[in-house]
Amino acid sequence: MHVRENIKTLLPYVPGKPIEELERELGLKEIIKLASNENPLGASPKGLEAAKKALTGIHLYPDGSGYHLTGAIAERHGVARPQVVLGNGSNEVIEIAARTFLAPGDEAIYSRHAFIVYPLICKAIGATGIEVPPLPDLGHDLEGIAAAVTSKTRFIFLANPNNPTGTMFPQSAWKKFLGRVPADIPILVDEAYAEYVTDPDYPDPWKDLAAGRNLIITRTFSKIFGLAGLRIGYAVSTPEISDLMNRVRPPFNANTVAQAAALAALSDEDFVRRSREVNVRGLRYLRAHLEKLGLKVTPSWGNFILAGLGRPAGSVYEALLRKGVIARPVGVYDLPNHLRITVGTQEEIETLVKALSAVLGTGA
Ligand code: PMP
């Protein structure tokens, strides 16, 4: 059997450890998972209700066009329905976008420490991923990314805020960047954590998309809407790009239950507001307490925070596991001395801080 070299050497995406697995391994109860940037308040109640109702229809194929959901998303963002592309999580629309534009040998650019799916998908396609060093705060260096453009560049990935660093690039850097990058290169702006951002400097690529720029903006229902297990996300792009992406999109990729839940969750403003408030308070608490423990904290605009331990994170991660707390080691992101911690409920993050304090105190 002939297996392509780029597939043979592809490393699989490693998800956060599931709670059940840790329960089985260590016989622990009351485990806290702060490893996958999930919503600690659970699912949007409106979304959950709609999901239950939609179960009666699962003997039928989903609406392949996602009529109601794409309509609601289009209305929310002030775009036309055909500009919306649904995905099995935003992960899938990111992959669809990349596969729409990249062929083996093409170059795609992203930042070092950017969301790991960008290098993974480039490798799977056989495209050359060009990794640009980050700014000193670990954020995307948009000037560096613009300078890395060559005649072979066919795609640029940006995450704002980025995972796992939590960093945000501001409107001023974004505007300069757009001025420097040739307009025919599609730029994907991954806004998985956008709803958490309260900073007035957060860029507005939606205006640039409306002005006709070749952008693909991706969003998800996995984070602030609390629907990670249903797998539903979307991209909004120009009519031309969305049409191309819809040709690449697998049939029925957004399932019935997910479409119904997402539609209801989209208008669950109360839940979104509460989730944002819990996150703002949690981020502040975590940052202050992690700094008190002597850790180097990267300011975050997401629902998680990156903590630099100043030494390899493996033993600290393991010791936390034994105390029933799952954090996320980020060695695969070239950050072997860091842990990423999701903002849980106040109770959960207090438990994490206590556990971490004990672990660091014992020199684990
Ligand atoms: N983009 C970023 C930056 C993320 O952190 C994630 C989730 N880990 C995703 C996209 C994909 O999320 P989903 O497929 O659940 O929408």
Side-chain angles (χ1 to χ4, degrees), residues 3 9 48 63 81 86 109 117 130 139 165 190 192 212 221 241 276 297 360:
V3 179
T9 53
L48 192 57
D63 170 2
R81 186 200 303 278
L86 297 181
I109 312 175
V117 162
I130 306 292
T165 58
D190 178 343
F221 289 96
I241 293 177
R276 193 181 293 120
V297 174
L360 295 174

Side-chain angles (χ1 to χ4, degrees), residues 285-286 288-295 307 309 311 315-317 319-321 323 325 327 339 341 348-364:
Y285 181 96
L286 257 182
H289 283 80
L290 295 177
E291 279 175 349
K292 248 192 231 162
L293 292 177
L295 306 184
L309 307 175
R311 60 191 169 101
S315 58
V316 176
Y317 165 71
L320 281 175
L321 282 185
K323 290 185 173 296
V325 179
L339 277 182
I341 299 161
E348 287 172 333
I349 55 184
E350 282 177 19
T351 304
L352 167 278
V353 168
K354 254 188 232 146
L356 192 55
S357 170
V359 165
L360 295 174
T362 60

Side-chain angles (χ1 to χ4, degrees), residues 18-360:
I19 289 177
E20 297 77 33
E21 193 175 312
L22 192 60
E23 278 175 353
R24 270 198 310 274
E25 280 175 14
L26 299 181
L28 292 171
K29 286 274 170 292
E30 305 209 12
I31 287 166
I32 295 174
K33 184 183 177 204
L34 301 174
S36 298
N37 303 344
E38 293 145 337
N39 192 325
L41 302 186
S44 142
K46 283 189 176 180
L48 192 57
E49 196 52 40
K52 284 182 195 159
K53 281 203 187 119
L55 282 173
T56 55
I58 59 170
H59 57 297
L60 301 173
Y61 279 102
D63 170 2
S65 75
Y67 182 83
H68 295 292
L69 182 56
T70 53
I73 291 167
E75 193 180 318
R76 153 155 309 212
H77 294 295
V79 299
R81 186 200 303 278
Q83 290 178 259
V84 181
V85 180
L86 297 181
N88 190 254
S90 62
N91 205 103
E92 190 190 39
V93 281
I94 294 168
E95 291 210 21
I96 292 170
R99 286 197 291 120
T100 301
F101 290 103
L102 290 171
D106 288 342
E107 287 180 3
I109 312 175
Y110 44 80
S111 175
R112 186 174 182 210
H113 314 310
F115 184 43
I116 200 152
V117 162
Y118 316 153
L120 286 181
I121 182 66
C122 287
K123 190 141 198 241
I125 291 170
T128 306
I130 306 292
E131 193 181 87
V132 172
L135 295 171
D137 70 354
L138 302 181
H140 288 13
D141 175 5
L142 293 193
E143 280 187 38
I145 292 175
V149 169
T150 71
S151 60
K152 286 190 183 167
T153 306
R154 295 287 175 272
F155 204 79
I156 297 175
F157 297 90
L158 304 176
N160 206 30
N162 181 46
N163 168 21
T165 58
T167 48
M168 179 196 87
F169 56 80
Q171 172 76 0
S172 53
W174 166 247
K175 280 298 187 189
K176 259 193 243 158
F177 175 75
L178 281 187
R180 289 190 59 189
V181 174
D184 61 351
I185 298 176
I187 303 167
L188 183 139
V189 186
D190 178 343
E191 292 193 341
Y193 302 95
E195 296 88 353
Y196 286 108
V197 181
T198 53
D199 191 324
D201 265 349
Y202 190 50
D204 186 355
W206 297 88
K207 274 202 190 115
D208 305 296
L209 174 64
R213 187 75 191 213
N214 288 320
L215 303 180
I216 301 145
I217 306 174
T218 60
R219 293 267 181 123
T220 184
F221 289 96
S222 301
K223 309 296 175 184
I224 211 160
F225 298 103
L227 303 179
L230 277 179
R231 313 303 302 127
I232 180 90
Y234 60 94
V236 178
S237 192
T238 63
E240 184 192 0
I241 293 177
S242 300
D243 173 51
L244 295 168
M245 284 175 64
N246 267 322
R247 299 181 206 189
V248 176
R249 184 172 70 92
F252 307 118
N253 64 330
N255 74 72
T256 304
V257 181
Q259 286 188 35
L263 179 62
L266 202 54
S267 62
D268 199 344
E269 280 155 26
D270 178 53
F271 180 74
V272 168
R273 194 180 52 248
R274 275 193 293 130
S275 300
R276 193 181 293 120
E277 282 167 8
V278 165
N279 191 60
V280 166
R281 277 200 302 272
L283 267 183
R284 209 179 296 136
Y285 181 96
L286 257 182
R287 181 172 177 182
H289 283 80
L290 295 177
E291 279 175 349
K292 248 192 231 162
L293 292 177
L295 306 184
K296 188 164 166 27
V297 174
T298 303
S300 172
W301 281 258
N303 68 342
F304 56 89
I305 202 158
L306 187 70
L309 307 175
R311 60 191 169 101
S315 58
V316 176
Y317 165 71
E318 297 286 342
L320 281 175
L321 282 185
R322 288 193 293 274
K323 290 185 173 296
V325 179
I326 315 177
R328 186 67 160 265
V330 282
V332 290
Y333 284 94
D334 257 349
L335 294 164
N337 296 343
H338 289 72
L339 277 182
R340 193 193 67 196
I341 299 161
T342 301
V343 178
T345 59
Q346 184 59 28
E347 202 184 336
E348 287 172 333
I349 55 184
E350 282 177 19
T351 304
L352 167 278
V353 168
K354 254 188 232 146
L356 192 55
S357 170
V359 165
L360 295 174

